Amino acid sequence: MSAAGCVGVATPRSFESKEPFRFVSGEELPGLAIAYETYGELSAAKDNAILICHALSGSQHAAGLAPGQEGQEVKQRDKGWWDLLIGPGKAIDTSRFFVVCSNNIGGCHGSTGPKTVNPATGRPYGSGFPEVRVEDWVEAQLLLAAHLGIARFHAVVGGSIGGMQALSWAIRHPAMVARAAIIAGTPKLTTQNIAFNEIARQSIKSDPAFSQGDYYGQEQGPRSGLAIARMLGHVTYLSGGDLERRFSRRRREDGDTFEIESYLRYNGDKFADYFDANTYLIMTEALDEFNPAAEAGGDLAAALRPAAARFLVASFRKDWRFPPQRSRELVKALLQADKRVSYAELGADGGHDAFLQDDPAYHEVVRSFLGAAEE
Amino acid sequence: MSAAGCVGVATPRSFESKEPFRFVSGEELPGLAIAYETYGELSAAKDNAILICHALSGSQHAAGLAPGQEGQEVKQRDKGWWDLLIGPGKAIDTSRFFVVCSNNIGGCHGSTGPKTVNPATGRPYGSGFPEVRVEDWVEAQLLLAAHLGIARFHAVVGGSIGGMQALSWAIRHPAMVARAAIIAGTPKLTTQNIAFNEIARQSIKSDPAFSQGDYYGQEQGPRSGLAIARMLGHVTYLSGGDLERRFSRRRREDGDTFEIESYLRYNGDKFADYFDANTYLIMTEALDEFNPAAEAGGDLAAALRPAAARFLVASFRKDWRFPPQRSRELVKALLQADKRVSYAELGADGGHDAFLQDDPAYHEVVRSFLGAAEE
């Protein structure tokens, strides 16, 4: 194994599609901007591309440093969100692969989203942004693939909602996906999942500063509602054991506040600094609605039949948001549909967020699934 | 078994203690009002009394109908919160026992609490209400016991936070507690428990209508913050399977909204109609702080040593808020401390809220633990 390295400073890129974009909902936008980053080199044959799909709070900045961080001491958590997995010699090896990650549309990191100015009104889309489905993300990424001259991905890879995108890619564009890795994913949300998402949404929508989604001209948006939503997400992405080990019942120096309390407040606040509340609503609604089996009368195996990819499904034992049971349902349906599938149930203790974390067994599973570029 | 019946219309009672009441925190109130209800008859020997301790959103109205409901068709959910267990012929049999339930101090159903007018200022206590601990509830209930002439309870019984009170009673007043039933309880909260409580508190506190706790003169208090807190509590009190069975991914007639979404919103709203946000804060803080082992250097068995009661510890398999593991820790410590303890791990599917629900096996466990009045 080569020594694992960092991709260095990532160059922010953007692609502008001037074609009207039609959403699953039937709504249309006159065009799309797609913010993205790439790491590694596209081979002459253009056969070594890996598409990375991001999850709820992610962005196109999946690996390396952001401009401005060069020459600084940068903590791991301040690097790209999947930097632990993406880089030269890492599980997703940029010395072999050309790795692409784009900001989902409806996002808030440069792709067309609710804070984008609507050319028809001169004001941000806000509440008027179309409803977004996972399939819309896939179709926007398809435009980017065409722009980059990629006719077929060596792999489409994602965790959580990113895994939903990888699954959707494999179903919708079988000829373009050689491998699909669905990590900490689920073929559809449970009632409990939807319930947590709804509480997060209510928390945003009931913040008076939300102004029905049209808050961009205000001094401040629904910061506190968004912070609560994030705190709730955060707690449910961690396992109980993980929280116990990291915080237990320890107090802050004031002797009064529990450390977990100040940790949650700090993280909620930080999130509200950089994330957009409308994007949070859009993402959670897309999550709730994802259900590829629905198009096949509820038969997931039938929905998967068109796929031609080799599949990796990986789950984490302590993930109670999308637990192994959900991944096993997917594996079962893939086998029923006669697909080639590897399944890994990983022991990492980090809850749902384990898909973002450092775990040698997990990284090795991803590395070996991706194989060599020429395979 | 006699046919189970209803206690009928409960008479709201109140007891006023004129003695200064000193809280664990050292703060003092000049006196206390304690709202309570009783069901059944106190025996001449005054040896058949059972004290019921309520949980977070409970009140003194544990059984039967409220005044005004007489002669009406009253749904089970609109009766007292533990009406399924308390009544003639029921698990807590009012034809044998004299059952007492009081509203916890700091509450919002008639006992002295944050919405009570502070005689010193002429305004509600609001943010100035003392910090409340589980032990304060016990000491207030002790005053009520004295008022009722009860020197020893046949049993002290509670679920969830109510179980914490029963445990605290057994430790603090061993001579007064013949039996203690701790149902769906825990000897202390986990980090995850505290985290959920903190999110609920932040949701209340960040509602602009909270006004730092002094909202009583306003047209409206922090309704939406309280509703979010309740939604979050509600989801965590149910098991995933319970939610799935009741709501699945079914939609409302509009075809858009999931049923679980409108259910949560409706329940959050309803809760905000009758509950007080400051009480919610007080209750969750008391929960977080409860940790009898702390007074014995972290040794729970040592903390339990003074108790003289026979114990019932009961947990529910699908309760992930206070799961069986927490009850087993308590049982283990009780055994280490040489106490008599029965433990029941019940299969009811209702999550933490199963302690409120109809389950014959559960009810039989409670009934048989309580035995006959003369035992």
Side-chain angles (χ1 to χ4, degrees):
Chain A
M1 206 193 328
S2 53
C6 178
V7 298
V9 179
T11 309
R13 300 180 196 276
S14 187
F15 156 65
E16 195 114 6
S17 163
K18 305 282 189 195
E19 295 294 306
F21 184 86
R22 198 179 168 81
F23 289 78
V24 172
S25 68
E27 293 168 278
E28 223 174 71
L29 291 184
L32 282 185
I34 300 177
Y36 69 100
E37 293 185 3
T38 69
Y39 322 105
E41 298 295 327
L42 187 58
S43 64
K46 300 190 173 188
D47 60 359
N48 70 334
I50 292 180
L51 178 67
I52 305 293
C53 305
H54 74 70
L56 210 165
S57 61
S59 71
Q60 68 276 26
H61 185 45
L65 310 179
Q69 288 181 326
E70 54 269 45
Q72 293 179 37
E73 189 90 38
V74 179
K75 289 186 185 143
Q76 187 61 47
R77 65 160 183 255
D78 294 324
K79 296 182 182 168
W81 57 269
W82 234 6
D83 185 84
L84 287 167
L85 275 88
I86 302 169
K90 291 182 180 171
I92 301 171
D93 188 348
T94 55
S95 61
R96 297 166 162 213
F97 297 112
F98 177 65
V99 176
V100 183
C101 184
S102 70
N103 184 214
N104 288 349
I105 53 171
C108 54
H109 291 93
S111 289
T112 300
K115 67 179 182 181
T116 303
V117 171
N118 178 352
T121 64
R123 285 179 290 112
Y125 285 104
S127 62
F129 198 80
E131 276 185 38
V132 182
R133 297 287 171 263
V134 169
E135 293 76 13
D136 295 316
W137 292 330
V138 171
E139 297 312 303
Q141 289 156 354
L142 182 70
L143 296 174
L144 177 62
H147 170 72
L148 296 171
I150 298 164
R152 178 174 166 89
F153 285 106
H154 179 79
V156 180
V157 180
S160 190
I161 320 182
M164 291 177 172
Q165 293 163 66
L167 183 60
S168 186
W169 258 102
I171 296 171
R172 296 171 73 86
H173 304 291
M176 293 187 66
V177 185
R179 289 168 190 75
I182 297 138
I183 303 167
T186 176
K188 65 168 189 271
L189 294 202
T190 62
T191 317
Q192 189 189 61
N193 291 149
I194 297 173
F196 280 124
N197 282 344
E198 173 62 9
I199 296 168
R201 285 190 291 266
Q202 285 301 316
S203 147
I204 290 168
K205 289 179 181 174
S206 68
D207 185 330
F210 178 63
S211 305
Q212 280 79 49
D214 298 307
Y215 48 79
Y216 297 105
Q218 294 166 196
E219 204 176 313
Q220 191 174 289
R223 276 189 65 90
S224 63
L226 182 57
I228 305 277
R230 174 57 170 182
M231 289 185 224
L232 176 56
H234 201 64
V235 168
T236 65
Y237 303 149
L238 300 172
S239 70
D242 199 33
L243 281 164
E244 203 67 44
R245 202 170 33 258
R246 286 165 65 183
F247 304 100
S248 182
R249 292 176 58 93
R250 281 196 306 278
R251 311 268 183 167
R252 297 278 295 172
E253 278 166 23
D254 63 12
D256 200 28
T257 316
F258 289 103
E259 281 187 7
I260 181 63
E261 296 179 292
S262 59
Y263 171 81
L264 285 175
R265 286 178 219 157
Y266 173 81
N267 273 280
D269 241 35
K270 208 176 76 171
F271 188 70
D273 284 340
Y274 72 84
F275 210 81
D276 181 57
N278 279 321
T279 291
Y280 205 89
L281 298 179
I282 285 170
M283 294 276 182
T284 58
E285 277 160 16
L287 254 171
D288 287 3
E289 295 293 339
F290 183 69
N291 186 12
E295 286 164 43
D299 182 345
L300 183 57
L304 294 167
R305 209 142 279 144
R310 289 161 62 171
F311 286 89
L312 169 66
V313 177
S315 69
F316 297 93
R317 272 183 213 144
K318 295 293 173 70
D319 177 357
W320 60 275
R321 189 92 189 228
F322 294 170
Q325 196 190 329
R326 299 281 93 74
S327 283
R328 282 187 238 123
E329 287 166 17
L330 176 57
V331 169
K332 196 178 153 198
L334 283 165
L335 291 173
Q336 279 173 350
D338 285 324
K339 304 303 166 194
R340 286 182 296 176
V341 53
S342 306
Y343 177 56
E345 201 165 300
L346 295 152
D349 203 30
H352 185 57
D353 269 357
F355 88 88
L356 297 165
Q357 294 165 3
D358 212 0
D359 177 63
Y362 161 43
H363 292 198
E364 198 47 44
V365 160
V366 173
R367 179 197 303 276
S368 92
F369 175 70
L370 295 176
E374 61 277 13
E375 271 186 81
Chain B
M1 206 194 321
S2 52
C6 176
V7 299
V9 180
T11 309
R13 301 180 196 273
S14 186
F15 155 65
E16 196 114 4
S17 162
K18 305 282 189 193
E19 295 295 305
F21 185 86
R22 198 178 169 81
F23 289 78
V24 172
S25 68
E27 294 167 276
E28 223 173 72
L29 291 185
L32 282 185
I34 300 177
Y36 68 100
E37 293 185 3
T38 69
Y39 322 106
E41 297 295 326
L42 185 59
S43 63
K46 300 189 173 186
D47 61 358
N48 69 332
I50 293 181
L51 178 67
I52 304 294
C53 305
H54 74 70
L56 211 166
S57 61
S59 71
Q60 68 277 26
H61 185 44
L65 310 180
Q69 288 181 326
E70 54 268 47
Q72 292 179 37
E73 189 91 37
V74 179
K75 288 186 186 144
Q76 187 60 48
R77 65 162 183 254
D78 294 325
K79 296 182 183 170
W81 59 269
W82 233 7
D83 184 84
L84 286 167
L85 276 88
I86 303 170
K90 291 182 180 171
I92 302 171
D93 188 348
T94 54
S95 60
R96 296 165 161 214
F97 297 112
F98 177 65
V99 176
V100 182
C101 183
S102 69
N103 184 214
N104 288 350
I105 53 172
C108 54
H109 291 93
S111 288
T112 300
K115 67 180 181 179
T116 302
V117 171
N118 178 352
T121 64
R123 286 178 291 110
Y125 285 104
S127 61
F129 197 81
E131 276 185 39
V132 181
R133 296 289 172 263
V134 170
E135 293 77 10
D136 295 315
W137 291 330
V138 170
E139 297 313 303
Q141 288 156 356
L142 182 70
L143 296 175
L144 177 62
H147 169 71
L148 295 172
I150 298 165
R152 178 174 166 88
F153 284 106
H154 179 79
V156 180
V157 179
S160 191
I161 321 180
M164 292 177 170
Q165 293 164 63
L167 183 59
S168 186
W169 258 102
I171 295 171
R172 296 171 74 85
H173 304 292
M176 291 186 68
V177 185
R179 289 168 190 76
I182 297 137
I183 303 167
T186 177
K188 65 168 189 272
L189 293 202
T190 63
T191 317
Q192 188 189 62
N193 290 150
I194 297 173
F196 280 124
N197 282 344
E198 172 62 8
I199 296 169
R201 284 190 292 266
Q202 285 302 315
S203 148
I204 290 169
K205 290 178 180 172
S206 67
D207 184 329
F210 178 63
S211 306
Q212 281 78 49
D214 298 307
Y215 49 79
Y216 297 105
Q218 293 166 196
E219 203 177 312
Q220 192 175 287
R223 276 190 63 91
S224 63
L226 183 57
I228 305 278
R230 174 57 171 182
M231 288 185 226
L232 176 55
H234 201 64
V235 168
T236 66
Y237 303 150
L238 300 173
S239 70
D242 198 32
L243 281 166
E244 203 68 43
R245 203 170 31 259
R246 286 166 64 184
F247 304 100
S248 181
R249 292 176 58 93
R250 281 196 306 277
R251 311 269 182 164
R252 298 277 295 171
E253 277 166 24
D254 64 12
D256 200 28
T257 315
F258 289 103
E259 281 188 8
I260 181 63
E261 297 180 291
S262 59
Y263 172 81
L264 286 174
R265 286 179 219 157
Y266 173 80
N267 273 279
D269 241 35
K270 209 176 75 170
F271 188 71
D273 284 339
Y274 71 84
F275 211 80
D276 181 57
N278 279 321
T279 292
Y280 205 91
L281 298 178
I282 285 171
M283 294 273 181
T284 58
E285 276 158 16
L287 254 172
D288 287 3
E289 294 293 339
F290 183 69
N291 186 12
E295 286 164 43
D299 182 344
L300 183 58
L304 294 167
R305 208 142 280 145
R310 289 162 63 173
F311 285 89
L312 169 66
V313 177
S315 69
F316 296 92
R317 271 181 215 147
K318 295 294 174 69
D319 178 356
W320 60 275
R321 190 91 188 228
F322 294 170
Q325 196 190 329
R326 298 282 93 74
S327 283
R328 281 187 238 122
E329 286 164 17
L330 176 57
V331 170
K332 197 178 154 199
L334 283 165
L335 291 173
Q336 279 173 351
D338 284 325
K339 303 305 166 192
R340 285 181 296 175
V341 53
S342 306
Y343 176 55
E345 201 165 302
L346 294 152
D349 204 29
H352 185 57
D353 269 356
F355 87 87
L356 296 166
Q357 293 164 5
D358 212 359
D359 177 61
Y362 161 43
H363 292 198
E364 198 46 44
V365 161
V366 174
R367 178 198 304 276
S368 91
F369 175 69
L370 295 176
E374 61 276 12
E375 274 186 77

